[in-house]
Amino acid sequence: MYTREALVELVRQAKRERKLTWGEIAQHVGVPEIHCTAALLGQGTLKPHQAERAAQLLGLPAEVAEALTVPPYRGGVSMPPTDPVLYRLYEIILVYGPAFKEIVHEKFGDGIMSAIDFEMHVEREPDPHGDRVRVTMSGKYLPYRTF
Amino acid sequence: MYTREALVELVRQAKRERKLTWGEIAQHVGVPEIHCTAALLGQGTLKPHQAERAAQLLGLPAEVAEALTVPPYRGGVSMPPTDPVLYRLYEIILVYGPAFKEIVHEKFGDGIMSAIDFEMHVEREPDPHGDRVRVTMSGKYLPYRTF
Amino acid sequence: MYTREALVELVRQAKRERKLTWGEIAQHVGVPEIHCTAALLGQGTLKPHQAERAAQLLGLPAEVAEALTVPPYRGGVSMPPTDPVLYRLYEIILVYGPAFKEIVHEKFGDGIMSAIDFEMHVEREPDPHGDRVRVTMSGKYLPYRTF
Amino acid sequence: MYTREALVELVRQAKRERKLTWGEIAQHVGVPEIHCTAALLGQGTLKPHQAERAAQLLGLPAEVAEALTVPPYRGGVSMPPTDPVLYRLYEIILVYGPAFKEIVHEKFGDGIMSAIDFEMHVEREPDPHGDRVRVTMSGKYLPYRTF
Amino acid sequence: MYTREALVELVRQAKRERKLTWGEIAQHVGVPEIHCTAALLGQGTLKPHQAERAAQLLGLPAEVAEALTVPPYRGGVSMPPTDPVLYRLYEIILVYGPAFKEIVHEKFGDGIMSAIDFEMHVEREPDPHGDRVRVTMSGKYLPYRTF
Amino acid sequence: MYTREALVELVRQAKRERKLTWGEIAQHVGVPEIHCTAALLGQGTLKPHQAERAAQLLGLPAEVAEALTVPPYRGGVSMPPTDPVLYRLYEIILVYGPAFKEIVHEKFGDGIMSAIDFEMHVEREPDPHGDRVRVTMSGKYLPYRTF
Amino acid sequence: MYTREALVELVRQAKRERKLTWGEIAQHVGVPEIHCTAALLGQGTLKPHQAERAAQLLGLPAEVAEALTVPPYRGGVSMPPTDPVLYRLYEIILVYGPAFKEIVHEKFGDGIMSAIDFEMHVEREPDPHGDRVRVTMSGKYLPYRTF
Amino acid sequence: MYTREALVELVRQAKRERKLTWGEIAQHVGVPEIHCTAALLGQGTLKPHQAERAAQLLGLPAEVAEALTVPPYRGGVSMPPTDPVLYRLYEIILVYGPAFKEIVHEKFGDGIMSAIDFEMHVEREPDPHGDRVRVTMSGKYLPYRTF
Amino acid sequence: MYTREALVELVRQAKRERKLTWGEIAQHVGVPEIHCTAALLGQGTLKPHQAERAAQLLGLPAEVAEALTVPPYRGGVSMPPTDPVLYRLYEIILVYGPAFKEIVHEKFGDGIMSAIDFEMHVEREPDPHGDRVRVTMSGKYLPYRTF
Amino acid sequence: MYTREALVELVRQAKRERKLTWGEIAQHVGVPEIHCTAALLGQGTLKPHQAERAAQLLGLPAEVAEALTVPPYRGGVSMPPTDPVLYRLYEIILVYGPAFKEIVHEKFGDGIMSAIDFEMHVEREPDPHGDRVRVTMSGKYLPYRTF
């Protein structure tokens, strides 16, 4: 069996050698792009048949497929992130976090947006002033238990 | 002139007394809800005419309107956030951050999603299994300068 | 309106003066003891009729009742906790956390115990070798969204 | 002799190969599930005869059994935990910690719940609205020494 | 009622004005010197009759006596301590901690020295090469719960 | 020559194989138990003849004896300690530190207890209510230089 | 394929063996000195033809050239920097940061200097009182999105 | 006399009331813009005649002028900076720091760029693709003392 | 009685009004300059007759003199220091610390330089290439207790 | 070529085998003891002829001599230092830092003591009450640039 790091390294290597994109892998596996990528980077799980499809496409042994179905110890970014791509997400919390909290409570009540029953998409949004990164998140609203 | 904290406190008080929602204020001001709320919470600026409309609606003096046009020292969340609403956003970076970075580079190249030329929306998404919080972000793609 | 700290101070003072226990207040309000106490310590909300009952019992103005229904910025412990009562809970995570994670995944799959749809009780458990603190937690199992 | 990490890795590997669950191992060893698992993850000790039973079931040498009886350097989670399963426990301290402290003092006096003379159980609680994780903790009440 | 800080300040002031030593107060109260001092510095509690004796000696109102019986939020040193008197204790853990752990396990088994059922004394030990500070600690041995 | 870690590992291994206790080694070496153990754990030094006796008893080469006489980079605990045995010492500083400082100044003046000209003992103190860990520390009082 | 660290090590070794300066490499590659160096130190990317020129000059395989075109996880300094060369830059933010922010807002409005569409040069400035390091930065002004 | 914070607040208030820019103040005082602003923000000193000119222009008492000549405790940014304007400078160290160090050593030898004998300018650089922030720094090269 | 901060503020104010230097005060008090200054800044104590002389010179009440004889909670710099004057001392530890440790052990054995039985002087050393700050420290060598 | 760590390890080993002291090496190299030691511990550079002398004396290859002339990434102590020898230096900043800053400004003006144009010596100072460690530092005074 592989440690999580070894697993991720195997995936990255196979992806490079077979010249696959994360998008192609995700489409083949049948899971949204960022969720499939997260799983292959050791931050999520795939269902058995999805893991098998991923392993097949990447030419990796059955053992890898099995490993991809085991819940990992999540958390793949050391905080605050030093990489600018990730830091900008962090900055969005710093700047828009308080407003986000107010709006969620105003629209829903005392509760949160789930990060578990959660879906996320990243798309290229064409724009004459320069294309934009479009991120869509959808998380189930979870109200605090009341009595 | 007010300190930023005093300013925010004045806004909150006026909002409570006049029983306004952030949504109503934003609509009156003509600025997207979360951006208007962020500005009123001391994390952004409004244009002069927008600030005046906000001050009018909230019954606050011209000095407040002026203060709302001055760039603040941004950063309204101590990290990691202890509040669950904000922590879930933080967790999304921990779990989906590495995949986000891969996808951005795959779709765009070596660059980032701007958090400055940036727009964000929070909506209630009806769902038979329980309504969902829908967050849409759109940030300009900024490629690293090349030579 | 009161800041959260002022609110909590008012509650504590009234509780002392009226010689009430948290248990008596909770019973009167009709909310489990630790949840009622958390709300009165600024870490949760009460429903309007519950907040009114609490304010009445404590002899506090309607404004207090209203304030108790507003979602607070949660997080009332600086970490790691220096107080031994709280540190022991922290230590339980340090020591039993990894085993807890394994058991949850074994019994449920890839998901978590919710801290939002969550209930907690603290009781005195008589024991001939010295009474024990009995803590019961019940949190909804939330599976990671699959596709 | 093995380092603690090597020991844990041996256990995990044997468990996977023999397709055992933590629950099955615990039942065979005769120790509550989470305590047995904690010991096998290097966060506790077993008595000699329990360690032997564990080693036998897992097909590991006597040396492993002996190692499992040696008090480890405890602390298997880096804080704050990045994994959502563990973070939720951490969040429970942040939100319910102050109330927990009040209730313990009210019910017992000036003292703490022991994390040493301590027992913990995790069960699946069936629920029509979705099954729940039920955690029961029982720690001896330790009063501060008085004079 | 007083905040803990106000309480401690009152005690310090009264002690200075009445030119009392911590030792004299402790003797009058009938509690070991360091425990009595800790309580008066907001890090412990006294029994009602002890608190009354302390308040009487210091000329403080009954309210103070009552406050001294309420369990405080413990933890009166920010870590690492910057004051050299306290830092040396911290350094003792850094240097002798690992050996202390080994010796405790060797002499007792898998368990700890309680910091709750705990007693501590500080004395002046005459020595021809320069007097010494003698610290005696006695904490109950608590074995980890076994099954 | 060995790195400090390798040295400590050699010692631990030899101790296990020869089934020696730290107490037996210390007695043979002629150095108080915790000081001898600290040195063998890489947190102190032995005099040449003591190091030789230790090496002989443990069956280790002369090179090890020599290495045990070289002052190490001290500090063998990452703070705050996650292990409960060590954390309790840390907690004692948090709770009794301020009182300790007051008592030292009261009994001695403006100075500190040395952690260098320092001696420490750990004993088992029989007690009908459960045996106790007895720790005795004796550090030279060092007055601040005056002029 | 190489890890980023291995890649950087290969570059450094080849540079030493061929006795090249960063300046010579940059001139050959056709990219400003500090940007070229940053890329070769794993903090940036080169375009394919630039990467090839770099690899050729350094006598490194095509695989290295390819690796130099892949966006790295940026962030090559642990903060605060312990090295004096880097710490002085950090100190400049500590001392001149607040003034810098004021001037940027005064000259441009509510926005920032981009660190992505960014160019930097380091030159030797002859000076009779001792030569000086001259750093020139030019970053695109990015105004906050307005509505 | 004023605390540094009070001093800065007085300056800001006077600047707002007299509708002066930092640039106008600097020109009047005869000190480069960012250095003059830094001094007025409590991060530097002015010479007596410069301080008097500043105080005069701002209509502040002689006491303020005197206070502006006293070396302050420097360091006006908590790190990492949460404000995006300042964070980008921090990010530049993260990304270009290692290359900067290499270039300085290559061009000068073993030494540093002084942050004390240091000058800095911020200008608006017109650009058809969007204006740019141009920062120029000039710090004396200080070689490590050799023997 | 004064808090330490109030005391220091009183001293600073009196020093300014009477236009005294630290050097003049120290000479009058009869204590080395930096030790006298440290005491007046709340980081040390004076003997009663020294404190009286200081209070007299500064025109402060007897209460201040008394307060200056009470051991303070030492530690007047938040670390790492942001002020460049103090940071350079910190940097000296970063760069020369390991060599300092080697030299101390080589010249003295296993022990330390005391920071308690310690004396420090700061002088202006004329130099044709620019005057120098000359710091002299003299601390008693304390050998580790041996057995 | 060697990594810095390997280089330092080589030096230490050779020094042990040849039974040289840092003082002997420094004298042979012709560089003050602590500066020579710092360079050999990877915290400084030697001039080529000095590096050759050091390598010769230690019997190390020319490659080592060359490596000793390359500016290292400085910073060899993790802060706060856990080793008591180094911690005492750190404590000196905590306690005497604020007074040091005052004295430097009083004697010199608004500037700092350089840690680059800097010299340091450690000597054994005989003293009938116990020998003392004498540290002398001499750093060039650098005034802040004025205009």
Side-chain angles (χ1 to χ4, degrees):
Chain A
M1 199 77 174
Y2 311 96
T3 65
R4 209 71 194 181
E5 287 72 32
L7 193 73
V8 171
E9 202 38 46
L10 271 182
V11 165
R12 282 190 185 277
Q13 218 171 319
K15 172 177 171 289
R16 265 195 311 262
E17 280 163 22
R18 308 207 161 199
K19 296 196 183 299
L20 293 161
T21 64
W22 296 112
E24 288 162 359
I25 300 171
Q27 199 166 20
H28 184 84
V29 172
V31 164
E33 198 175 31
I34 207 169
H35 292 267
C36 183
T37 306
L40 294 173
L41 293 175
Q43 297 295 324
T45 49
L46 294 176
K47 292 184 187 159
H49 73 280
Q50 295 164 342
E52 275 157 37
R53 291 182 68 100
Q56 240 174 358
L57 182 65
L58 289 158
L60 295 171
E63 221 179 349
V64 165
E66 199 195 322
L68 287 169
T69 65
V70 178
Y73 190 96
R74 284 175 170 91
V77 176
S78 69
M79 294 289 206
T82 61
D83 185 83
V85 176
L86 297 180
Y87 184 79
R88 296 310 180 270
L89 296 178
Y90 185 88
E91 189 174 291
I92 288 166
I93 302 180
L94 282 170
V95 175
Y96 298 101
F100 174 75
K101 181 173 162 66
E102 295 280 337
I103 304 293
V104 166
H105 291 321
E106 193 166 291
K107 286 197 192 311
F108 293 88
D110 190 9
I112 67 160
M113 173 178 81
S114 179
I116 306 296
D117 184 339
F118 174 79
E119 203 172 329
M120 183 173 172
H121 300 274
V122 177
E123 286 150 306
R124 184 167 190 130
E125 182 183 5
D127 187 299
H129 302 300
D131 286 5
R132 302 178 72 80
V133 184
R134 183 179 188 77
V135 179
T136 325
M137 298 171 176
S138 163
K140 194 178 180 184
Y141 170 68
L142 304 178
Y144 263 95
R145 189 175 189 75
T146 55
F147 303 92
Chain B
M1 198 76 174
Y2 311 96
T3 65
R4 211 70 195 183
E5 287 72 32
L7 193 74
V8 171
E9 201 37 48
L10 270 183
V11 166
R12 283 191 185 278
Q13 217 171 319
K15 172 177 171 289
R16 263 195 313 262
E17 280 163 23
R18 307 206 161 198
K19 296 195 183 298
L20 293 161
T21 63
W22 296 112
E24 288 162 358
I25 301 172
Q27 199 166 21
H28 183 84
V29 173
V31 164
E33 198 174 32
I34 207 169
H35 292 267
C36 182
T37 306
L40 295 173
L41 293 176
Q43 296 296 322
T45 48
L46 295 177
K47 293 184 187 157
H49 73 279
Q50 296 164 343
E52 275 159 36
R53 291 182 68 100
Q56 241 173 358
L57 181 66
L58 289 159
L60 296 171
E63 221 180 350
V64 164
E66 199 195 321
L68 287 168
T69 64
V70 178
Y73 190 96
R74 283 175 170 91
V77 176
S78 69
M79 292 288 204
T82 60
D83 185 84
V85 175
L86 297 179
Y87 184 80
R88 295 312 180 268
L89 296 178
Y90 185 88
E91 189 174 291
I92 288 165
I93 302 179
L94 282 171
V95 175
Y96 298 101
F100 174 75
K101 181 173 163 67
E102 295 280 336
I103 304 292
V104 166
H105 292 321
E106 192 166 293
K107 285 195 192 314
F108 293 88
D110 189 9
I112 67 159
M113 173 180 81
S114 179
I116 306 296
D117 185 339
F118 174 79
E119 203 172 328
M120 183 175 172
H121 300 274
V122 178
E123 286 150 306
R124 183 167 190 132
E125 182 183 7
D127 187 299
H129 302 300
D131 286 4
R132 302 178 72 81
V133 184
R134 183 180 188 77
V135 179
T136 325
M137 298 171 175
S138 163
K140 194 178 181 184
Y141 170 68
L142 304 178
Y144 263 94
R145 188 174 189 76
T146 55
F147 303 93
Chain C
M1 198 76 173
Y2 311 97
T3 64
R4 211 69 195 184
E5 288 71 32
L7 193 73
V8 171
E9 202 37 46
L10 270 183
V11 166
R12 281 190 186 278
Q13 217 170 320
K15 172 176 171 289
R16 264 195 312 262
E17 280 163 23
R18 307 208 160 196
K19 295 195 184 299
L20 293 161
T21 63
W22 297 111
E24 288 162 358
I25 301 171
Q27 199 165 21
H28 183 84
V29 172
V31 164
E33 199 174 30
I34 207 169
H35 292 267
C36 183
T37 306
L40 294 174
L41 293 175
Q43 296 296 322
T45 48
L46 294 177
K47 292 184 187 159
H49 73 279
Q50 295 165 342
E52 275 158 37
R53 289 183 69 101
Q56 240 173 358
L57 182 65
L58 290 159
L60 295 170
E63 221 179 348
V64 165
E66 200 195 321
L68 287 169
T69 65
V70 178
Y73 190 96
R74 283 175 170 91
V77 175
S78 70
M79 292 290 204
T82 61
D83 185 84
V85 176
L86 298 179
Y87 184 79
R88 295 311 179 270
L89 296 178
Y90 185 88
E91 189 175 292
I92 288 166
I93 303 179
L94 282 171
V95 174
Y96 298 101
F100 174 75
K101 181 172 163 67
E102 295 280 335
I103 304 293
V104 166
H105 292 321
E106 192 166 292
K107 285 196 193 312
F108 293 87
D110 190 10
I112 67 159
M113 173 180 82
S114 178
I116 306 297
D117 185 339
F118 174 78
E119 202 172 329
M120 183 173 172
H121 300 274
V122 178
E123 286 150 307
R124 184 167 190 132
E125 182 183 6
D127 188 299
H129 301 301
D131 286 4
R132 302 179 72 81
V133 183
R134 184 180 188 78
V135 179
T136 324
M137 299 172 175
S138 163
K140 194 179 181 185
Y141 170 68
L142 304 178
Y144 262 93
R145 188 175 188 76
T146 55
F147 303 92
Chain D
M1 198 78 175
Y2 311 95
T3 65
R4 210 71 195 182
E5 288 71 32
L7 193 73
V8 171
E9 202 36 49
L10 271 182
V11 167
R12 283 190 185 278
Q13 218 170 319
K15 173 178 170 287
R16 263 194 313 261
E17 280 164 24
R18 308 208 160 195
K19 296 195 183 299
L20 294 161
T21 63
W22 297 111
E24 288 161 358
I25 300 172
Q27 199 166 20
H28 184 83
V29 173
V31 164
E33 198 174 31
I34 206 169
H35 292 267
C36 182
T37 306
L40 295 173
L41 293 175
Q43 297 295 323
T45 48
L46 294 176
K47 292 183 189 159
H49 73 278
Q50 296 164 342
E52 275 158 37
R53 290 182 69 100
Q56 241 173 358
L57 181 66
L58 289 159
L60 297 170
E63 221 180 349
V64 165
E66 200 196 321
L68 287 169
T69 65
V70 179
Y73 191 95
R74 284 175 170 90
V77 175
S78 69
M79 293 287 204
T82 60
D83 185 84
V85 175
L86 297 180
Y87 184 79
R88 296 310 180 268
L89 296 178
Y90 185 88
E91 189 174 293
I92 288 166
I93 302 179
L94 281 171
V95 174
Y96 298 101
F100 174 75
K101 182 173 162 65
E102 295 281 336
I103 304 292
V104 166
H105 291 321
E106 192 166 293
K107 285 196 193 312
F108 293 88
D110 189 10
I112 67 160
M113 173 179 82
S114 179
I116 306 296
D117 185 339
F118 174 79
E119 203 172 328
M120 183 174 172
H121 300 275
V122 177
E123 286 150 305
R124 184 166 191 132
E125 184 182 5
D127 188 300
H129 302 299
D131 286 4
R132 302 178 71 81
V133 183
R134 183 179 189 78
V135 180
T136 325
M137 298 171 176
S138 162
K140 194 178 181 185
Y141 170 68
L142 304 179
Y144 262 95
R145 188 173 189 77
T146 56
F147 302 92
Chain E
M1 199 76 174
Y2 311 96
T3 65
R4 211 71 195 182
E5 287 71 31
L7 193 73
V8 171
E9 202 37 47
L10 270 182
V11 166
R12 282 190 185 279
Q13 216 170 322
K15 171 176 172 289
R16 263 195 313 261
E17 280 164 23
R18 308 209 160 196
K19 296 194 184 299
L20 293 161
T21 62
W22 296 111
E24 288 162 358
I25 300 171
Q27 200 166 20
H28 183 84
V29 172
V31 163
E33 199 175 29
I34 206 169
H35 292 268
C36 182
T37 307
L40 294 173
L41 293 175
Q43 296 296 322
T45 49
L46 294 176
K47 292 184 188 158
H49 72 279
Q50 296 165 342
E52 274 158 36
R53 289 183 70 101
Q56 241 174 357
L57 182 65
L58 290 160
L60 296 170
E63 220 179 349
V64 165
E66 199 195 323
L68 287 168
T69 65
V70 178
Y73 190 94
R74 283 175 171 91
V77 175
S78 70
M79 292 289 204
T82 61
D83 185 84
V85 176
L86 298 180
Y87 184 79
R88 295 312 179 269
L89 296 178
Y90 184 88
E91 189 174 293
I92 288 166
I93 303 180
L94 282 171
V95 174
Y96 299 101
F100 174 75
K101 181 173 162 68
E102 295 281 335
I103 304 292
V104 166
H105 292 322
E106 192 166 292
K107 284 196 195 313
F108 293 88
D110 190 10
I112 67 159
M113 174 180 81
S114 178
I116 306 296
D117 185 338
F118 174 78
E119 203 172 327
M120 183 173 171
H121 300 275
V122 178
E123 286 151 306
R124 182 165 191 133
E125 183 182 5
D127 187 301
H129 302 300
D131 286 4
R132 301 179 72 82
V133 184
R134 184 179 187 79
V135 179
T136 325
M137 298 171 175
S138 163
K140 194 178 181 185
Y141 170 68
L142 304 179
Y144 263 94
R145 188 175 189 76
T146 55
F147 304 93
Chain F
M1 198 78 174
Y2 311 95
T3 65
R4 211 71 195 181
E5 288 71 32
L7 194 72
V8 171
E9 202 38 46
L10 270 183
V11 167
R12 282 190 186 279
Q13 217 170 321
K15 172 177 170 288
R16 263 194 313 262
E17 280 163 24
R18 307 206 162 198
K19 295 193 183 301
L20 294 160
T21 63
W22 296 111
E24 288 162 358
I25 301 172
Q27 200 166 20
H28 183 84
V29 172
V31 164
E33 200 175 29
I34 207 169
H35 291 268
C36 183
T37 308
L40 295 173
L41 293 175
Q43 296 296 323
T45 49
L46 295 176
K47 292 183 187 159
H49 73 279
Q50 296 164 342
E52 275 158 37
R53 290 182 69 101
Q56 240 174 359
L57 182 65
L58 291 159
L60 296 170
E63 222 179 348
V64 164
E66 201 196 322
L68 286 169
T69 65
V70 179
Y73 191 96
R74 284 176 170 90
V77 175
S78 69
M79 292 288 203
T82 61
D83 185 84
V85 176
L86 298 180
Y87 184 79
R88 294 312 179 269
L89 296 178
Y90 185 88
E91 188 174 293
I92 287 165
I93 302 180
L94 282 171
V95 174
Y96 297 101
F100 174 75
K101 181 173 163 66
E102 295 281 335
I103 303 292
V104 166
H105 291 321
E106 193 167 292
K107 284 197 194 312
F108 293 88
D110 190 9
I112 67 160
M113 174 179 80
S114 179
I116 306 296
D117 185 338
F118 174 78
E119 203 173 327
M120 183 174 172
H121 300 274
V122 177
E123 286 151 305
R124 184 166 190 132
E125 183 182 5
D127 188 300
H129 301 300
D131 286 4
R132 302 178 72 81
V133 184
R134 184 179 188 80
V135 179
T136 324
M137 298 171 176
S138 163
K140 195 178 180 185
Y141 170 68
L142 304 178
Y144 263 95
R145 188 175 189 76
T146 55
F147 303 92
Chain G
M1 198 75 174
Y2 311 96
T3 65
R4 210 70 195 184
E5 288 72 32
L7 193 73
V8 171
E9 202 38 46
L10 270 182
V11 166
R12 282 190 186 279
Q13 217 171 321
K15 171 176 171 291
R16 264 194 312 262
E17 280 164 23
R18 307 207 162 198
K19 296 196 182 297
L20 293 161
T21 63
W22 296 112
E24 288 162 357
I25 300 171
Q27 199 165 20
H28 183 83
V29 173
V31 164
E33 198 175 30
I34 207 170
H35 291 268
C36 182
T37 307
L40 295 174
L41 293 175
Q43 297 296 322
T45 48
L46 294 176
K47 292 184 188 159
H49 72 279
Q50 296 165 342
E52 275 157 36
R53 290 182 69 100
Q56 240 173 357
L57 181 65
L58 290 160
L60 295 170
E63 220 179 349
V64 165
E66 200 196 322
L68 287 168
T69 65
V70 178
Y73 190 95
R74 283 175 170 92
V77 175
S78 70
M79 292 290 205
T82 61
D83 185 83
V85 176
L86 298 180
Y87 184 80
R88 295 312 179 268
L89 297 178
Y90 185 88
E91 189 175 291
I92 288 165
I93 302 180
L94 281 171
V95 174
Y96 298 101
F100 174 75
K101 182 173 162 68
E102 294 281 335
I103 304 293
V104 166
H105 291 321
E106 192 166 291
K107 285 196 194 310
F108 294 87
D110 190 10
I112 67 159
M113 173 179 82
S114 179
I116 306 297
D117 185 339
F118 174 79
E119 202 172 328
M120 183 173 171
H121 300 275
V122 178
E123 286 151 305
R124 183 166 191 133
E125 183 183 6
D127 187 300
H129 302 300
D131 286 4
R132 302 178 71 81
V133 183
R134 184 179 187 79
V135 179
T136 325
M137 298 171 175
S138 162
K140 194 178 181 185
Y141 170 68
L142 304 178
Y144 263 94
R145 188 175 188 76
T146 55
F147 303 93
Chain H
M1 197 77 174
Y2 311 95
T3 65
R4 210 71 194 181
E5 288 71 32
L7 193 73
V8 171
E9 202 36 48
L10 269 183
V11 167
R12 283 190 185 279
Q13 218 171 319
K15 172 177 170 288
R16 264 195 312 262
E17 280 164 22
R18 308 207 161 197
K19 295 194 183 301
L20 294 161
T21 64
W22 296 112
E24 288 162 358
I25 300 172
Q27 200 166 20
H28 183 84
V29 172
V31 164
E33 199 174 31
I34 206 169
H35 291 268
C36 182
T37 306
L40 295 173
L41 293 175
Q43 296 296 322
T45 48
L46 294 177
K47 293 183 186 158
H49 73 278
Q50 296 164 342
E52 275 158 36
R53 289 183 69 100
Q56 240 174 357
L57 182 65
L58 290 159
L60 296 171
E63 221 180 349
V64 164
E66 200 196 321
L68 287 170
T69 65
V70 179
Y73 191 96
R74 284 176 169 90
V77 175
S78 69
M79 292 288 202
T82 60
D83 185 84
V85 176
L86 298 179
Y87 184 79
R88 295 311 180 269
L89 296 178
Y90 184 89
E91 189 173 291
I92 288 165
I93 302 179
L94 282 171
V95 175
Y96 298 102
F100 174 76
K101 182 174 162 66
E102 295 281 335
I103 303 292
V104 167
H105 291 321
E106 192 166 293
K107 285 196 193 312
F108 293 88
D110 190 9
I112 67 160
M113 174 179 81
S114 179
I116 306 297
D117 185 339
F118 174 78
E119 203 173 327
M120 183 174 171
H121 300 275
V122 177
E123 286 151 305
R124 183 167 190 130
E125 183 183 5
D127 189 298
H129 301 300
D131 286 4
R132 301 178 72 81
V133 183
R134 183 179 188 77
V135 179
T136 324
M137 298 172 176
S138 163
K140 193 177 182 185
Y141 170 66
L142 304 178
Y144 263 95
R145 188 174 189 75
T146 56
F147 303 93
Chain I
M1 198 77 174
Y2 311 94
T3 66
R4 210 72 195 181
E5 288 70 33
L7 193 73
V8 171
E9 202 38 48
L10 270 182
V11 166
R12 283 190 185 278
Q13 217 170 322
K15 172 177 172 289
R16 264 195 312 261
E17 280 163 24
R18 307 206 161 199
K19 296 194 184 301
L20 294 161
T21 63
W22 296 111
E24 288 162 358
I25 300 171
Q27 200 167 20
H28 184 84
V29 172
V31 163
E33 199 175 28
I34 207 169
H35 291 268
C36 182
T37 307
L40 294 173
L41 292 175
Q43 296 296 323
T45 49
L46 294 176
K47 291 184 188 159
H49 73 280
Q50 296 165 342
E52 274 158 36
R53 289 183 70 101
Q56 240 173 358
L57 182 65
L58 290 160
L60 296 171
E63 220 180 350
V64 165
E66 200 196 322
L68 287 169
T69 65
V70 178
Y73 191 95
R74 283 176 170 90
V77 176
S78 70
M79 292 288 204
T82 60
D83 185 84
V85 176
L86 298 179
Y87 184 79
R88 295 311 179 269
L89 296 178
Y90 185 88
E91 189 174 292
I92 288 166
I93 303 180
L94 282 171
V95 174
Y96 298 101
F100 174 75
K101 181 174 163 67
E102 295 281 335
I103 305 292
V104 167
H105 292 321
E106 192 166 293
K107 284 196 194 312
F108 293 88
D110 190 10
I112 67 160
M113 174 179 81
S114 179
I116 306 296
D117 185 338
F118 174 79
E119 204 172 327
M120 183 174 173
H121 300 275
V122 177
E123 286 150 306
R124 184 168 190 131
E125 182 183 6
D127 188 299
H129 302 299
D131 287 3
R132 301 178 72 81
V133 184
R134 184 179 187 79
V135 179
T136 324
M137 298 171 175
S138 163
K140 194 178 181 184
Y141 170 67
L142 305 178
Y144 262 95
R145 188 176 189 75
T146 55
F147 303 92
Chain J
M1 198 77 173
Y2 311 95
T3 65
R4 210 71 194 182
E5 288 70 31
L7 193 73
V8 171
E9 201 38 47
L10 270 183
V11 167
R12 282 189 186 279
Q13 216 170 323
K15 171 176 172 289
R16 265 196 311 262
E17 280 164 23
R18 308 206 160 199
K19 296 196 183 300
L20 294 161
T21 63
W22 297 112
E24 288 162 358
I25 301 171
Q27 199 166 20
H28 184 84
V29 172
V31 164
E33 199 175 29
I34 207 170
H35 292 267
C36 182
T37 308
L40 295 173
L41 293 175
Q43 296 296 323
T45 49
L46 294 175
K47 292 185 188 157
H49 73 279
Q50 296 164 342
E52 275 158 36
R53 290 183 69 100
Q56 240 174 357
L57 182 65
L58 290 160
L60 297 171
E63 221 180 349
V64 164
E66 201 195 321
L68 286 168
T69 64
V70 178
Y73 190 95
R74 283 175 170 91
V77 175
S78 70
M79 292 288 204
T82 60
D83 184 83
V85 176
L86 298 179
Y87 184 80
R88 295 311 179 270
L89 296 178
Y90 185 88
E91 188 175 293
I92 288 166
I93 303 179
L94 282 171
V95 175
Y96 298 101
F100 174 75
K101 182 174 162 68
E102 295 281 335
I103 304 292
V104 167
H105 292 321
E106 192 167 292
K107 285 196 193 311
F108 293 87
D110 189 10
I112 67 160
M113 174 180 80
S114 178
I116 305 297
D117 185 338
F118 174 79
E119 203 172 328
M120 183 173 173
H121 300 275
V122 177
E123 286 151 306
R124 184 166 190 132
E125 183 182 5
D127 188 299
H129 302 300
D131 286 3
R132 302 179 72 81
V133 184
R134 185 180 187 79
V135 179
T136 325
M137 298 171 175
S138 163
K140 194 178 181 185
Y141 170 67
L142 305 178
Y144 262 95
R145 188 175 189 75
T146 55
F147 303 92

